[in-house]
Amino acid sequence: MYDHASGTVQRARKQRREMSLPEALLWRLLKSKPMGVKFRNHHPLGDYVVDFLCYAARTVFEIDGISHDMGDQPEFDLQRDLELKTLGYKIVRIAASDVLRDPEAVAESMVSYCLDRPPPSALRAATSPKGGGFSGVAR
């Protein structure tokens, strides 16, 4: 699946090698697929590299340190979130200080959030407005 722009794979690889402490603490807890929920870390998506992605729940988790409040970063984050939303993803921002305070609780809430998300409409059972459905008989 190629859902990223060229060049983002190299940036993703670099960011995986240079994770911040909050990201590394979370990844240690999430990489084992807790409760069957698969997360990807520093995954290329569109023109961006997202901190954590739960593809099944179409959810991006961003760990925001203090730099996200400085300079042009808030405007960049807003634009980035809008673009990712147009690709069909929900964005959840988590303060790095919350991760440092209790990484287990944050990881648990991420897993719970993903388990509570309904599947994309394409994965839901098809229903007919007139009732019925597939009868198993070819017509």
Side-chain angles (χ1 to χ4, degrees), residues 5-44:
S6 63
T8 55
V9 172
Q10 290 78 16
R11 281 188 320 197
R13 288 178 182 152
K14 182 177 190 282
Q15 288 178 17
R16 280 185 214 118
R17 286 189 306 267
E18 300 172 359
M19 278 191 275
S20 68
L21 178 58
E23 293 166 347
L25 291 170
L26 274 179
W27 185 237
R28 179 180 55 88
L29 298 166
L30 297 173
K31 67 182 175 182
S32 64
K33 300 179 189 170
M35 299 197 57
V37 178
K38 180 180 178 180
F39 290 91
R40 300 171 188 187
N41 76 321
H42 294 91
H43 186 75

Side-chain angles (χ1 to χ4, degrees), residues 120-139:
S121 60
L123 298 179
R124 293 187 194 124
T127 58
S128 168
K130 296 180 182 178
F134 181 71
S135 65
V137 177
R139 296 183 195 252

Side-chain angles (χ1 to χ4, degrees), residues 3-9 11 15 43-50 76 79-80 83-84 87:
D3 56 356
H4 56 271
S6 63
T8 55
V9 172
R11 281 188 320 197
Q15 288 178 17
H43 186 75
L45 197 59
D47 292 330
Y48 305 103
V49 176
V50 299
F76 175 82
Q79 181 61 36
R80 180 180 192 268
E83 289 182 36
L84 292 173
L87 294 174

